[in-house]
Amino acid sequence: MPFYSTVTGGLLDATVLDAEYWYRNLRQTVRFEEATRALLAEGFRCFVEPSAHPVLTVGVQESAEAAGVEAVVLGTLRRDDGGRDRLLLALGQAWASGLPVD
């Protein structure tokens, strides 16, 4: 599975995910926008943020718009609103956006 790093801003061989990498991850500037642009340039068009407070969805959507690319950006959970119903809503949003849901 491809691994796009917010430490390097691009595709990274996952075999280098050692303690030094994670230390750099905590200490260096996060290159989230660069990693998002790299994913968009590679043709990725669906982004799912599986966090209880999906604050990064806005940034991903803005990066896609700046690149002139249509992308589906979904959050799956909300703080104090998790569980089966929230997950089914997210799957419904994916389906309504044209993504296959199995």
Side-chain angles (χ1 to χ4, degrees):
M1 174 179 288
F3 183 87
Y4 285 77
S5 168
T6 58
V7 173
T8 66
L11 185 61
L12 182 69
D13 178 358
T15 62
V16 301
L17 300 179
D18 56 10
E20 181 181 335
Y21 171 85
W22 293 110
Y23 177 80
R24 288 176 41 216
N25 183 61
L26 293 171
R27 304 289 295 168
Q28 293 181 353
T29 301
V30 174
R31 297 169 68 179
F32 182 78
E33 196 268 339
E34 288 178 53
T36 302
R37 277 191 288 126
L39 286 160
L40 291 165
E42 288 293 322
F44 290 90
R45 297 295 182 264
C46 175
F47 297 84
V48 178
E49 184 176 359
S51 104
H53 195 62
V55 297
L56 299 176
T57 56
V58 173
V60 173
Q61 189 62 52
E62 288 175 350
S63 292
E65 290 169 3
V69 172
E70 285 193 38
V72 176
V73 184
L74 302 168
T76 57
L77 303 170
R78 298 283 186 272
R79 188 171 295 152
D80 299 323
D81 183 20
R84 187 173 196 264
D85 289 343
R86 171 43 74 186
L87 180 60
L88 290 173
L89 178 60
L91 291 171
Q93 290 171 320
W95 178 263
S97 298
L99 299 171
V101 176
D102 182 0

